[in-house]
Amino acid sequence: MKTITILGSTGSIGQNTVDLIARNADAFRVVALTGGRNIELLAKDAIRLRAEVAVTAFEEGLESLRTLLAGTGIEVAAGRAALLEAASRPADWVMSAIVGSAGLEPGLAALRHGGTLALANKESLVCAGPLLLAEAERHGATILPVDSEHSAIFQALAGEDMEAVERIIITASGGAFRDWPLEKLKTATVAEASAHPNWAMGQRITIDSASLFNKAMELIEAHEFFGVRPDQIEAVIHPESLIHSLVAFRDGAMMAHVGMPDMRHAIGYALNWPERHALPVAPLDLVKAGAMTFRDPDENRHPALRLAREVMQTGGLSGAIFNAAKERALDGFIAGEIGFLDMAGIVETVLEKMPAAAEGITLDRVLEADAEARRIAGGITQSVH
Ligand code: NDP
């Protein structure tokens, strides 16, 4: 029986994972479920999946969680230390689906027991890719990508020689504003940015899709995870979201991963890897789907892709700085402090202000750079406000 932990079980990826586990509950034993503020959902799933321990990342949720799980025999805990302890409990397969750089340390803790880390938390690779990969290697752990684009690339690369890879092409739906002119983007609201045309996801990644920051993060994620040069990675707008990414080989062949936009495919692939099991995902009817179209992203409207290229070239701590500045700017946009277009300007300014090159990546340095980038981004946000 496979033992499972879900970090971020109450989120969008977490819930899709819970759904897959619950459909085949006898095949799994759930070690830990962790959540944030949605205590009721955490408790409900802990009972449903008979988890050993349920953890909320925030101390203030402890009493409610304890009350909801009283008499069930499920262990209850709260706070950052409890989250890290739960992540470090041995499990064959751990889903890393906490949002933001808050997911980095729990992911590292999970790698240390040498199982499989199913990585949805792209921020871990953006902030500290070399650290994460080194930790996996040191402990004989496996990292499997869950981001749909990276799962697609991983599948296209199965059995291939990396020497034969010419380019990786990451598709982007273009998000909620793919057809909006620059002028209109200035007044875009949080509600408008939170309405993704094709994918149902958490609010933060949905807004990042509209600004193309999500795609920018994915370029860096591909660079770190697959070890390809920045000039070998490109993004292309594909509004239908049916091709989830492609690999171009030196013989001219392109391998594309094609399917319905449903995260349970990428999660289920990582769950069953290296086997393929049946999944509750609707098959794609190619004739009904009709045309698949592609176009270049407009970098005037969305500078995030250019910033991602700079980050890949610079390396060092620039990914941690980029991500933290983006997270803080996103907080500011969601709180109504800054406009949609201000986010990219803030990230660019923070990158200019903070030296990032030539520094070795350690966890302490990443956390320091993260805190400093948030502080500077917060200051700029206040001045814009
Ligand atoms: P959600 O916002 O839906 O869920 C985030 C999860 O993290 C929730 O369980 C939340 O708890 C928990 N959480 C929030 N803050 C903290 C914290 N400080 N410490 C510990 N736990 C916390 O996000 P998504 O599921 O959309 O995304 C999760 C990750 O997966 C992100 O890195 C995202 O980029 C990536 N991803 C998501 C995709 C998607 O389809 N959604 C696709 C590809 C990648 P609570 O809700 O209880 O407060």
Side-chain angles (χ1 to χ4, degrees):
M1 190 181 279
K2 202 169 193 169
T3 51
I4 301 274
T5 282
I6 308 175
L7 306 171
S9 71
T10 50
S12 166
I13 290 286
Q15 285 297 292
N16 277 308
T17 312
V18 166
D19 176 71
L20 291 179
I21 304 290
R23 284 168 189 266
N24 199 6
D26 291 343
F28 304 106
R29 183 168 67 75
V30 175
V31 177
L33 294 186
T34 83
R37 307 208 182 270
N38 197 341
I39 306 297
E40 280 189 15
L41 186 56
L42 177 62
K44 187 180 116 212
D45 286 337
I47 294 169
R48 183 175 170 209
L49 299 182
R50 298 186 298 275
E52 205 175 276
V53 59
V55 181
T56 159
F58 307 109
E59 305 274 357
E60 55 273 26
L62 181 61
E63 279 320 307
S64 325
L65 188 60
R66 190 169 275 149
T67 306
L68 288 166
L69 291 178
T72 61
I74 298 168
E75 218 182 304
V76 168
R80 186 77 180 161
L83 167 63
L84 295 176
E85 190 280 324
S88 65
R89 291 189 189 194
D92 298 321
W93 191 89
V94 177
M95 166 54 76
S96 168
I98 291 171
V99 66
S101 62
L104 171 61
E105 284 182 280
L108 284 169
L111 286 174
R112 292 186 192 117
H113 54 65
T116 295
L117 186 71
L119 191 67
N121 179 268
K122 63 190 82 184
E123 296 88 346
S124 302
L125 279 170
V126 172
C127 294
L131 196 66
L132 208 73
L133 299 181
E135 201 70 354
E137 195 172 346
R138 186 171 309 126
H139 298 280
T142 304
I143 301 178
L144 295 175
V146 169
D147 221 349
S148 58
E149 294 77 0
H150 302 73
S151 174
I153 296 161
F154 186 76
Q155 294 179 53
L157 286 172
E160 300 288 353
D161 177 359
M162 285 307 287
E163 289 288 306
V165 172
E166 269 193 351
R167 278 177 308 141
I168 284 182
I169 301 144
I170 299 184
T171 50
S173 69
F177 301 149
R178 65 183 167 221
D179 298 318
W180 284 37
L182 185 59
E183 201 50 38
K184 200 175 163 198
L185 287 179
K186 285 185 190 153
T187 54
T189 65
V190 174
E192 287 164 338
S194 304
H196 198 286
N198 305 349
W199 293 92
M201 307 186 286
Q203 188 192 33
R204 298 183 73 87
I205 184 174
T206 302
I207 300 175
D208 283 349
S209 297
S211 61
L212 290 203
F213 264 109
N214 181 48
K215 212 44 59 183
M217 308 263 290
E218 289 175 7
L219 299 183
I220 305 170
E221 187 185 1
H223 168 61
E224 296 292 351
F225 189 76
F226 298 107
V228 284
R229 295 187 316 272
D231 62 284
Q232 288 179 290
I233 309 168
E234 60 193 67
V236 65
I237 302 288
H238 167 48
E240 296 82 12
S241 291
L242 297 174
I243 295 188
H244 301 132
S245 279
L246 310 94
V247 178
F249 294 93
R250 63 184 167 202
D251 62 356
M254 279 177 140
M255 303 292 278
H257 181 284
V258 190
M260 295 296 281
D262 184 331
M263 281 311 295
R264 290 175 305 177
H265 177 81
I267 297 168
Y269 180 79
L271 183 63
N272 299 314
W273 181 87
E275 295 165 12
R276 277 189 194 271
H277 294 188
L279 291 171
V281 175
L284 173 63
D285 181 327
L286 284 171
V287 174
K288 270 198 196 137
M292 296 188 202
T293 58
F294 305 91
R295 61 177 190 248
D296 282 329
D298 176 355
E299 296 198 15
N300 289 327
R301 285 189 302 150
H302 300 295
L305 297 177
R306 170 177 54 78
L307 297 177
R309 267 187 222 103
E310 288 170 21
V311 165
M312 289 189 280
Q313 296 293 351
T314 308
L317 292 169
S318 63
I321 296 166
F322 172 85
N323 177 68
K326 190 279 293 174
E327 287 193 29
R328 179 61 187 85
L330 179 57
D331 291 341
F333 175 63
I334 291 173
E337 294 166 354
I338 56 169
F340 182 76
L341 292 179
D342 293 326
M343 289 190 285
I346 289 174
V347 175
E348 184 157 21
T349 307
V350 177
L351 281 168
E352 280 163 11
K353 282 182 186 270
M354 284 183 66
E359 291 212 50
I361 297 201
T362 63
L363 180 59
D364 284 348
R365 280 185 175 157
V366 168
L367 298 179
E368 272 166 30
D370 180 290
E372 179 64 1
R374 275 172 211 269
R375 194 188 63 73
I376 299 175
I380 306 171
T381 300
Q382 292 307 319
S383 64
V384 172
H385 190 47

